[in-house]
Structure formats: structure tokens, C-alpha cells
Amino acid sequence: MIKPRTAYMHNRLYCICCYMKGISMKKRSMRQGLIRSIIRTKRIKTQKDLVDALNADGHKCTQATISRDISELGLRKLPEGIYVLPEDLHLQRMMCDLVVDLNYVNNMVIIKAQAGTAPGVAAALDDADLEGILGSVSGDDTIMVIASSNKLAEELHYKLAAFRGVTE
């Protein structure tokens, strides 16, 4: 019978395969976080584009690994052929269909929505977990989003305007 190799960490005995699985889980989590960032900042059309972007960032991986990550992250393709995160797709639909106006001042973004729809838009915004958002408050038709800085509020404003299909 073959005995599993063991590794000692913090005076505890761990099976080496469980230890290695923990390392691969961290790598996968880091890689998927990077994939989320790449999908949000670049127009990725193919798995090869995504592999190339990850390799350029110093993360060596294969198309098969990316295929599994795409499935686990639930990435979708828009009709124009670019990958999007499911929560971003939901937010984009909400922004297009329900948002009437969008402005920013200092570190706040003010979103005007159709009557009664602001809580749903705010929930979609929270689910998207966009960078720089400290929190949001919603009423019946208005959402106030607090960003961590004036610059991030401006960037968020333009990102949300892009979700609406408006270029300013």
C-alpha cells in the first residue's frame, strides 16, 4: 500500500494532496479575480484573447483552464461577441430599461430611475460589486451612490453611462 506523502505546517500534519489542493484553490481564485477584472476592462471576444491577456499579466494557463473558469464564473457573450459577467449583464439591462438620468458631483453618483424601480436598480448595482463603491441609498425613483473618491465617482458615472449605451 502506498502511503500519502505529508507536509508539516504550523506543527500540524497535512496530507500533501490536500495541501496542494489548497494552493491550487488560491491560484484559481486569484486567476478568476483577474479574469473578472480583464472582462470588465477589455473587450474579450475569444478564449484565446483571455488566455493571452492572462499570460501578458504573468498568469500562465491553458485554454482548457480558461474554459472551466468561464463556466464557473458564468460568463456570457453579448450579441456583438464579447464576454460579460452575469451581474454586469443584469446591471446593463436594468440601466438601459429603467434609468432615466445619471449625474455625479464630488464623490456621489445620482441615478434617476422610473418610479418604483430604484430599489431593483440599486440591488443590481450592489450585486455587480463595482470597484470604488462604498454604498448606496435608494428611494422610490432615486439612487445615491457614494464612491470612495471624486475620481472614482467620475469613472463610475462614465461606466454606468456606458452600460446605458450613452457616451458622454
Side-chain angles (χ1 to χ4, degrees), residues 1-20:
M1 179 173 166
I2 299 174
K3 294 183 181 179
R5 291 186 174 173
T6 55
Y8 290 93
M9 287 184 55
H10 308 291
N11 295 328
R12 293 187 181 159
L13 189 62
Y14 290 96
C15 172
I16 194 73
C17 61
C18 296
Y19 172 71
M20 293 306 289

Side-chain angles (χ1 to χ4, degrees), residues 1-164:
M1 179 173 166
I2 299 174
K3 294 183 181 179
R5 291 186 174 173
T6 55
Y8 290 93
M9 287 184 55
H10 308 291
N11 295 328
R12 293 187 181 159
L13 189 62
Y14 290 96
C15 172
I16 194 73
C17 61
C18 296
Y19 172 71
M20 293 306 289
K21 187 174 182 182
I23 290 175
S24 68
M25 293 289 281
K26 288 178 187 175
K27 279 180 62 177
R28 181 175 63 196
S29 178
M30 286 176 34
R31 185 181 60 250
Q32 288 182 354
L34 184 56
I35 289 170
R36 294 173 70 81
S37 175
I38 290 169
I39 293 297
R40 282 195 168 138
T41 57
K42 297 179 181 176
R43 294 179 60 85
I44 302 295
K45 290 189 171 194
T46 65
Q47 291 181 5
K48 184 183 181 324
D49 292 344
L50 191 51
V51 168
D52 292 343
L54 285 165
N55 287 339
D57 220 25
H59 289 78
K60 301 295 180 207
C61 55
T62 65
Q63 183 273 330
T65 301
I66 295 305
S67 181
R68 282 189 296 275
D69 288 339
I70 286 172
S71 177
E72 288 175 11
L73 290 170
L75 297 183
R76 302 285 180 251
K77 269 199 170 184
L78 294 178
E80 58 266 22
I82 63 169
Y83 282 106
V84 293
L85 296 164
E87 59 270 21
D88 289 353
L89 184 59
H90 179 64
L91 177 60
Q92 189 241 353
R93 287 182 181 149
M94 298 286 271
M95 294 295 293
C96 282
D97 295 344
L98 305 175
V99 171
V100 177
D101 193 24
L102 186 66
N103 288 299
Y104 73 98
V105 61
N106 296 330
N107 70 326
M108 293 183 290
V109 178
I110 307 301
I111 302 169
K112 296 294 260 173
Q114 295 175 11
T117 63
V121 174
L125 191 59
D126 289 342
D127 288 344
D129 196 28
L130 299 174
E131 180 184 356
I133 295 179
L134 296 177
S136 64
V137 178
S138 122
D140 186 54
D141 66 351
T142 305
I143 305 159
M144 180 177 66
V145 181
I146 309 296
S148 55
S149 72
N150 294 356
K151 181 170 176 41
L152 284 173
E154 182 180 2
E155 290 173 7
L156 179 63
H157 171 262
Y158 289 116
K159 185 178 285 189
L160 293 175
F163 277 140
R164 285 184 64 211

